[in-house]
Amino acid sequence: MKTNSNSYTIIYSVVMVVIVAFLLAFVFQALKPIQDINVQLDHQKQILYALNQDRNMSNETTLELWNKLIMADDIIDKEGNIIERGKQGGVDAAFRLNSKDAKEGKLAVFRCKVDGKEKYVIPVYGNGLWGPINGFIAINEDKTTIFGVYFNHESETAGLGAEIKDNKDWQDQFKGKKLLDGSKQNVIFSVEKKIINRDSQVDALTGATLTSNGVTNMFRSDKGGLQAYIKFLNRQ
C-alpha cells in the first residue's frame, strides 16, 4: 500500500485510535483499584474530620482511627428505624450511600465513640452557587447539639464559597451550636449574615451568600438534609 495514499492515512489513523483507546482502557482498569481506595480513604477522612480529628492524618492513621471510632455504619428510614445494621469500622452499609439514596429516604448514620462518649455522624447534601455541596455533621450524644462538622464542594469559588471546605476556623464555629427548636420537631440551626441567636446560628461566609444559604438548607431540608433525621434525633 502506498504510504502517501488516502487509504493508508485512514487505515493508519484508525489503527492508532484503536491502539490508544485500548491502552487508555487498560491503564484505567489497572489504576481503578488504587483510585477506589483513594476515594474511600478521602470519604473516611471527611467523616473523621467532622469528629474533630487531625486534618493532616496519614492514610495509616485514618484506617486506625476509622476502626477505633466508628462503631457502626447503619442505614435507617425516616422513622428512625434501622433497616440495615453496619459494623465497627464498616464500609459496606451506610458508607455506600449517596445523595440519591438520601433523597429517597434511605438514610446513613455513623454511630461513633470519641473519648468514651457517643457521637452520631450524618451526611447532608445541598447546592452551592456553582454546583453540589455536601458535608458531615457530627452530633453529640444528646442529639441536640453539634460536636463538629466538615463540608465539601465540587466547584465553589476559591476564597469565597470554597471556604466551606478550606476554612477550618469557620467550621469550628459550629461546635456546640443548638440544632432543634423547643418541640424538637424542627431543625433551627442556620448560617446568617446577621446573628440573632448565637446558640443556633453562625456567621455567613463573606461574599458567599448563596453558598452559605446552601449550608443552611443542608441542615433544614427534609430531602438530603438533617431535617430528614428528625425522628431519629427524637429517639432516646
Side-chain angles (χ1 to χ4, degrees), residues 189-205:
F189 178 84
S190 63
V191 179
E192 302 289 347
K193 283 185 176 180
K194 294 183 179 179
I195 300 296
I196 299 174
N197 185 350
R198 290 204 171 273
D199 289 340
S200 59
Q201 296 176 337
V202 300
D203 294 310
L205 290 164

PDB file of all heavy atoms in Angstrom, residues 189-205:
ATOM      1  N   PHE A 189     -31.065  25.382  63.286  1.00  0.00           N
ATOM      2  CA  PHE A 189     -29.722  25.898  63.063  1.00  0.00           C
ATOM      3  C   PHE A 189     -29.633  26.562  61.692  1.00  0.00           C
ATOM      4  O   PHE A 189     -30.216  26.101  60.717  1.00  0.00           O
ATOM      5  CB  PHE A 189     -28.687  24.778  63.152  1.00  0.00           C
ATOM      6  CG  PHE A 189     -27.296  25.265  62.879  1.00  0.00           C
ATOM      7  CD1 PHE A 189     -26.542  25.826  63.889  1.00  0.00           C
ATOM      8  CD2 PHE A 189     -26.783  25.217  61.598  1.00  0.00           C
ATOM      9  CE1 PHE A 189     -25.269  26.322  63.617  1.00  0.00           C
ATOM     10  CE2 PHE A 189     -25.517  25.703  61.322  1.00  0.00           C
ATOM     11  CZ  PHE A 189     -24.760  26.259  62.339  1.00  0.00           C
ATOM     12  N   SER A 190     -28.858  27.661  61.601  1.00  0.00           N
ATOM     13  CA  SER A 190     -28.716  28.356  60.321  1.00  0.00           C
ATOM     14  C   SER A 190     -27.410  29.134  60.257  1.00  0.00           C
ATOM     15  O   SER A 190     -26.775  29.405  61.271  1.00  0.00           O
ATOM     16  CB  SER A 190     -29.900  29.305  60.079  1.00  0.00           C
ATOM     17  OG  SER A 190     -29.931  30.314  61.080  1.00  0.00           O
ATOM     18  N   VAL A 191     -27.039  29.476  59.042  1.00  0.00           N
ATOM     19  CA  VAL A 191     -25.889  30.333  58.769  1.00  0.00           C
ATOM     20  C   VAL A 191     -26.447  31.683  58.321  1.00  0.00           C
ATOM     21  O   VAL A 191     -27.196  31.743  57.352  1.00  0.00           O
ATOM     22  CB  VAL A 191     -24.998  29.719  57.670  1.00  0.00           C
ATOM     23  CG1 VAL A 191     -23.819  30.623  57.355  1.00  0.00           C
ATOM     24  CG2 VAL A 191     -24.513  28.333  58.092  1.00  0.00           C
ATOM     25  N   GLU A 192     -26.093  32.748  59.027  1.00  0.00           N
ATOM     26  CA  GLU A 192     -26.743  34.033  58.811  1.00  0.00           C
ATOM     27  C   GLU A 192     -25.744  35.176  58.650  1.00  0.00           C
ATOM     28  O   GLU A 192     -24.666  35.157  59.239  1.00  0.00           O
ATOM     29  CB  GLU A 192     -27.665  34.367  59.994  1.00  0.00           C
ATOM     30  CG  GLU A 192     -28.743  33.337  60.261  1.00  0.00           C
ATOM     31  CD  GLU A 192     -29.836  33.317  59.216  1.00  0.00           C
ATOM     32  OE1 GLU A 192     -29.892  34.268  58.408  1.00  0.00           O
ATOM     33  OE2 GLU A 192     -30.634  32.368  59.200  1.00  0.00           O
ATOM     34  N   LYS A 193     -26.149  36.201  57.857  1.00  0.00           N
ATOM     35  CA  LYS A 193     -25.347  37.419  57.755  1.00  0.00           C
ATOM     36  C   LYS A 193     -25.387  38.204  59.061  1.00  0.00           C
ATOM     37  O   LYS A 193     -24.387  38.777  59.492  1.00  0.00           O
ATOM     38  CB  LYS A 193     -25.871  38.295  56.611  1.00  0.00           C
ATOM     39  CG  LYS A 193     -25.471  37.839  55.226  1.00  0.00           C
ATOM     40  CD  LYS A 193     -25.936  38.853  54.199  1.00  0.00           C
ATOM     41  CE  LYS A 193     -25.463  38.472  52.810  1.00  0.00           C
ATOM     42  NZ  LYS A 193     -25.911  39.467  51.800  1.00  0.00           N
ATOM     43  N   LYS A 194     -26.570  38.260  59.642  1.00  0.00           N
ATOM     44  CA  LYS A 194     -26.737  38.975  60.916  1.00  0.00           C
ATOM     45  C   LYS A 194     -27.182  37.975  61.969  1.00  0.00           C
ATOM     46  O   LYS A 194     -28.257  37.388  61.866  1.00  0.00           O
ATOM     47  CB  LYS A 194     -27.767  40.096  60.772  1.00  0.00           C
ATOM     48  CG  LYS A 194     -27.323  41.209  59.830  1.00  0.00           C
ATOM     49  CD  LYS A 194     -28.361  42.329  59.779  1.00  0.00           C
ATOM     50  CE  LYS A 194     -27.885  43.458  58.846  1.00  0.00           C
ATOM     51  NZ  LYS A 194     -28.898  44.552  58.776  1.00  0.00           N
ATOM     52  N   ILE A 195     -26.349  37.795  62.989  1.00  0.00           N
ATOM     53  CA  ILE A 195     -26.641  36.824  64.031  1.00  0.00           C
ATOM     54  C   ILE A 195     -27.665  37.384  65.009  1.00  0.00           C
ATOM     55  O   ILE A 195     -27.505  38.475  65.555  1.00  0.00           O
ATOM     56  CB  ILE A 195     -25.354  36.444  64.801  1.00  0.00           C
ATOM     57  CG1 ILE A 195     -24.329  35.843  63.843  1.00  0.00           C
ATOM     58  CG2 ILE A 195     -25.667  35.481  65.928  1.00  0.00           C
ATOM     59  CD1 ILE A 195     -24.751  34.558  63.205  1.00  0.00           C
ATOM     60  N   ILE A 196     -28.740  36.624  65.202  1.00  0.00           N
ATOM     61  CA  ILE A 196     -29.756  36.982  66.188  1.00  0.00           C
ATOM     62  C   ILE A 196     -29.627  36.099  67.421  1.00  0.00           C
ATOM     63  O   ILE A 196     -29.765  36.560  68.550  1.00  0.00           O
ATOM     64  CB  ILE A 196     -31.174  36.849  65.581  1.00  0.00           C
ATOM     65  CG1 ILE A 196     -31.322  37.801  64.387  1.00  0.00           C
ATOM     66  CG2 ILE A 196     -32.250  37.109  66.623  1.00  0.00           C
ATOM     67  CD1 ILE A 196     -32.622  37.647  63.642  1.00  0.00           C
ATOM     68  N   ASN A 197     -29.363  34.834  67.185  1.00  0.00           N
ATOM     69  CA  ASN A 197     -29.253  33.877  68.292  1.00  0.00           C
ATOM     70  C   ASN A 197     -27.967  33.073  68.130  1.00  0.00           C
ATOM     71  O   ASN A 197     -27.890  32.169  67.294  1.00  0.00           O
ATOM     72  CB  ASN A 197     -30.465  32.942  68.301  1.00  0.00           C
ATOM     73  CG  ASN A 197     -30.467  32.002  69.492  1.00  0.00           C
ATOM     74  OD1 ASN A 197     -29.482  31.904  70.239  1.00  0.00           O
ATOM     75  ND2 ASN A 197     -31.561  31.294  69.685  1.00  0.00           N
ATOM     76  N   ARG A 198     -26.955  33.395  68.913  1.00  0.00           N
ATOM     77  CA  ARG A 198     -25.662  32.719  68.788  1.00  0.00           C
ATOM     78  C   ARG A 198     -25.714  31.275  69.272  1.00  0.00           C
ATOM     79  O   ARG A 198     -24.777  30.515  69.031  1.00  0.00           O
ATOM     80  CB  ARG A 198     -24.581  33.494  69.534  1.00  0.00           C
ATOM     81  CG  ARG A 198     -24.244  34.803  68.865  1.00  0.00           C
ATOM     82  CD  ARG A 198     -22.861  35.301  69.196  1.00  0.00           C
ATOM     83  NE  ARG A 198     -22.512  36.448  68.365  1.00  0.00           N
ATOM     84  CZ  ARG A 198     -21.960  36.368  67.166  1.00  0.00           C
ATOM     85  NH1 ARG A 198     -21.672  35.178  66.658  1.00  0.00           N
ATOM     86  NH2 ARG A 198     -21.668  37.449  66.478  1.00  0.00           N
ATOM     87  N   ASP A 199     -26.783  30.875  69.936  1.00  0.00           N
ATOM     88  CA  ASP A 199     -26.912  29.478  70.351  1.00  0.00           C
ATOM     89  C   ASP A 199     -27.147  28.555  69.167  1.00  0.00           C
ATOM     90  O   ASP A 199     -26.789  27.374  69.216  1.00  0.00           O
ATOM     91  CB  ASP A 199     -28.070  29.320  71.352  1.00  0.00           C
ATOM     92  CG  ASP A 199     -27.759  29.925  72.710  1.00  0.00           C
ATOM     93  OD1 ASP A 199     -26.554  30.108  73.003  1.00  0.00           O
ATOM     94  OD2 ASP A 199     -28.697  30.209  73.458  1.00  0.00           O
ATOM     95  N   SER A 200     -27.759  29.085  68.094  1.00  0.00           N
ATOM     96  CA  SER A 200     -28.144  28.230  66.966  1.00  0.00           C
ATOM     97  C   SER A 200     -27.800  28.830  65.604  1.00  0.00           C
ATOM     98  O   SER A 200     -28.357  28.407  64.589  1.00  0.00           O
ATOM     99  CB  SER A 200     -29.647  27.948  67.024  1.00  0.00           C
ATOM    100  OG  SER A 200     -30.379  29.159  66.967  1.00  0.00           O
ATOM    101  N   GLN A 201     -26.887  29.797  65.580  1.00  0.00           N
ATOM    102  CA  GLN A 201     -26.505  30.415  64.318  1.00  0.00           C
ATOM    103  C   GLN A 201     -24.998  30.664  64.271  1.00  0.00           C
ATOM    104  O   GLN A 201     -24.360  30.856  65.312  1.00  0.00           O
ATOM    105  CB  GLN A 201     -27.236  31.757  64.129  1.00  0.00           C
ATOM    106  CG  GLN A 201     -28.746  31.622  64.020  1.00  0.00           C
ATOM    107  CD  GLN A 201     -29.446  32.976  63.939  1.00  0.00           C
ATOM    108  OE1 GLN A 201     -28.904  33.990  64.365  1.00  0.00           O
ATOM    109  NE2 GLN A 201     -30.646  32.983  63.368  1.00  0.00           N
ATOM    110  N   VAL A 202     -24.438  30.653  63.056  1.00  0.00           N
ATOM    111  CA  VAL A 202     -23.045  31.052  62.850  1.00  0.00           C
ATOM    112  C   VAL A 202     -23.007  32.075  61.717  1.00  0.00           C
ATOM    113  O   VAL A 202     -23.940  32.190  60.926  1.00  0.00           O
ATOM    114  CB  VAL A 202     -22.126  29.864  62.515  1.00  0.00           C
ATOM    115  CG1 VAL A 202     -22.122  28.845  63.636  1.00  0.00           C
ATOM    116  CG2 VAL A 202     -22.527  29.208  61.201  1.00  0.00           C
ATOM    117  N   ASP A 203     -21.896  32.804  61.643  1.00  0.00           N
ATOM    118  CA  ASP A 203     -21.738  33.846  60.635  1.00  0.00           C
ATOM    119  C   ASP A 203     -21.635  33.261  59.234  1.00  0.00           C
ATOM    120  O   ASP A 203     -20.948  32.256  59.009  1.00  0.00           O
ATOM    121  CB  ASP A 203     -20.481  34.668  60.910  1.00  0.00           C
ATOM    122  CG  ASP A 203     -20.588  35.464  62.200  1.00  0.00           C
ATOM    123  OD1 ASP A 203     -21.609  36.145  62.372  1.00  0.00           O
ATOM    124  OD2 ASP A 203     -19.654  35.402  63.017  1.00  0.00           O
ATOM    125  N   ALA A 204     -22.285  33.922  58.291  1.00  0.00           N
ATOM    126  CA  ALA A 204     -22.181  33.534  56.886  1.00  0.00           C
ATOM    127  C   ALA A 204     -20.783  33.865  56.365  1.00  0.00           C
ATOM    128  O   ALA A 204     -20.083  34.716  56.916  1.00  0.00           O
ATOM    129  CB  ALA A 204     -23.236  34.258  56.060  1.00  0.00           C
ATOM    130  N   LEU A 205     -20.395  33.203  55.307  1.00  0.00           N
ATOM    131  CA  LEU A 205     -19.103  33.472  54.673  1.00  0.00           C
ATOM    132  C   LEU A 205     -19.181  34.766  53.873  1.00  0.00           C
ATOM    133  O   LEU A 205     -20.133  34.975  53.109  1.00  0.00           O
ATOM    134  CB  LEU A 205     -18.726  32.323  53.746  1.00  0.00           C
ATOM    135  CG  LEU A 205     -18.364  31.008  54.432  1.00  0.00           C
ATOM    136  CD1 LEU A 205     -18.405  29.873  53.429  1.00  0.00           C
ATOM    137  CD2 LEU A 205     -16.989  31.096  55.077  1.00  0.00           C
TER     138      LEU A 205
END
